[in-house]
Amino acid sequence: MDRPHLPLNALRAFEASARHRSFTRAAIELCVTQAAVSHQVKNLEAQLGVALFRRLPRGLMVTEEGDALLPVVRDSFDRIGTALDRFEEGHLREVLAVGAVGTFAVGWLLPRLQTFREQAPFVDLRLSTNNNRVDIAAEGLDYAIRFGSGAWHGLDAVELFEAPLSMLCSPQVAAGLSSPEDIFQQTLLRSYRNEEWPKWFATAGLKGPATVRGMTFDSSLAMMEAAIQGAGVALAPPLMFARLLTSGVIVQPFDISITLGSYWLTRLQSKRPSGAMQTFANWLLGQAKPVCDTT
């Protein structure tokens, strides 16, 4: 059937009638008369040469032919509706899927996202968080913000800024720390990266244990919550927990830090950046520049 001759009104009447099992309820939804809906359906049946409904005393029953047509019509209208929803005030909204390390998302990105919404109101941002283990292709992401060295196979990576790690803890725990050596009397909270505490010990001039024992977390957010509750001392980026430091919920007892990597904006090398992707990248790099200038 030629597209210019598609009976769209009749298909709408059919879909609504099949969903409600009633011409009357379909008419109410479509803001037309029951006779108009019935007439549209009859015309569609005549055009197709099949019966789409069996008219029963108390409603409608969809025929086998109607059951074959219904999912196609429903899916088509859903897709049209989704496409139309992307237009707002004369502009096309673009969906942008971004995955980010949870620490970065909560501690740095979310407080700044309002400025992105103001600058790019027609980008529909979908943000998901992870613990730095992410598969961009499998998860259908446009970008992934992750921590590391920037060397990921098949990915284009742009450095945002370094995130030095320092010892953070609650004020109550800090009260018992007069020198770096005192941390050996505390529980050491650490991430899955085993090299963090040994490098901090070396930077602080301490001879630490060969194996660091303590509580291990796959999320700095969870680790910091344990530190807030006084479970021990954590090694985490103060930049990501600036609000907690400002409020005094946590403190940094010693001005000793180590750098093991940076945050990076990554995408598949095979993926051509869309307009929304380029807009987000430009905004993010602009937000990151002041941090780069101070680190």
Side-chain angles (χ1 to χ4, degrees):
M1 184 178 295
D2 292 337
R3 288 183 180 178
H5 299 99
L6 286 175
L8 294 178
N9 287 337
L11 290 170
R12 286 186 65 204
F14 161 69
E15 191 278 332
S17 299
R19 183 159 28 87
H20 291 293
R21 297 295 196 271
S22 166
F23 288 149
T24 301
R25 288 196 290 272
I28 293 172
E29 177 184 315
L30 299 175
C31 298
V32 297
T33 65
Q34 186 269 353
V37 171
S38 178
H39 180 70
Q40 289 283 1
V41 171
K42 285 182 180 179
N43 285 345
L44 181 61
E45 290 176 321
Q47 187 171 356
L48 298 177
V50 298
L52 299 173
F53 296 105
R54 287 196 178 92
R55 279 71 170 171
L56 304 176
R58 295 186 177 180
L60 301 171
M61 184 176 73
V62 183
T63 65
E64 183 178 343
E65 293 80 4
D67 276 333
L69 179 61
L70 181 59
V72 178
V73 173
R74 180 174 293 160
D75 178 66
S76 297
F77 281 129
D78 286 344
R79 292 172 64 185
I80 291 171
T82 299
L84 294 178
D85 285 343
R86 293 177 60 197
F87 288 85
E88 183 174 302
E89 298 179 357
H91 295 272
L92 175 65
R93 293 184 64 87
E94 290 189 60
V95 175
L96 179 69
V98 177
V101 182
T103 307
F104 182 93
V106 174
W108 193 86
L109 183 60
L110 289 180
R112 293 167 170 80
L113 272 185
Q114 183 57 34
T115 65
F116 177 70
R117 289 175 55 84
E118 293 170 355
Q119 294 178 25
F122 308 112
V123 175
D124 187 1
L125 178 64
R126 311 285 174 85
L127 179 64
S128 60
T129 59
N130 57 67
N131 62 354
N132 210 42
R133 294 181 172 91
V134 60
D135 187 329
I136 296 180
E139 297 179 32
L141 298 174
D142 295 306
Y143 281 123
I145 300 170
R146 54 203 304 180
F147 181 83
S149 65
W152 292 285
H153 179 69
L155 298 184
D156 178 77
V158 178
E159 187 176 20
L160 298 175
F161 47 77
E162 292 182 342
L165 307 180
S166 296
M167 196 188 80
L168 304 176
C169 62
S170 69
Q172 293 76 19
V173 170
L177 302 174
S178 57
S179 66
E181 291 87 347
D182 294 333
I183 67 168
F184 295 121
Q185 306 304 316
Q186 300 290 333
T187 299
L188 302 181
L189 311 178
R190 67 181 184 86
S191 75
Y192 55 85
R193 290 183 287 269
N194 295 326
E195 71 274 19
E196 292 178 349
W197 274 114
K199 185 170 182 179
W200 192 89
F201 296 151
T203 302
L206 302 177
K207 183 175 177 56
T211 301
V212 176
R213 301 186 183 279
M215 298 174 65
T216 304
F217 299 83
D218 70 349
S219 163
S220 292
L221 296 175
M223 180 172 62
M224 192 53 59
E225 183 60 34
I228 290 172
Q229 297 181 21
V233 292
L235 213 58
L239 178 62
M240 297 296 114
F241 298 98
R243 286 179 295 172
L244 294 179
L245 286 164
T246 300
S247 67
V249 174
I250 59 171
V251 295
Q252 180 181 344
F254 309 112
D255 188 21
I256 303 171
S257 64
I258 59 173
T259 299
L260 296 179
S262 301
Y263 284 106
W264 300 77
L265 179 66
T266 69
R267 66 170 175 84
L268 290 173
Q269 291 176 344
S270 59
K271 187 177 182 65
R272 181 178 179 180
S274 65
M277 290 176 65
Q278 195 60 58
T279 299
F280 180 77
N282 291 341
W283 170 81
L284 188 64
L285 291 172
Q287 293 290 312
K289 188 177 186 305
V291 181
C292 293
D293 293 342
T294 58
T295 57

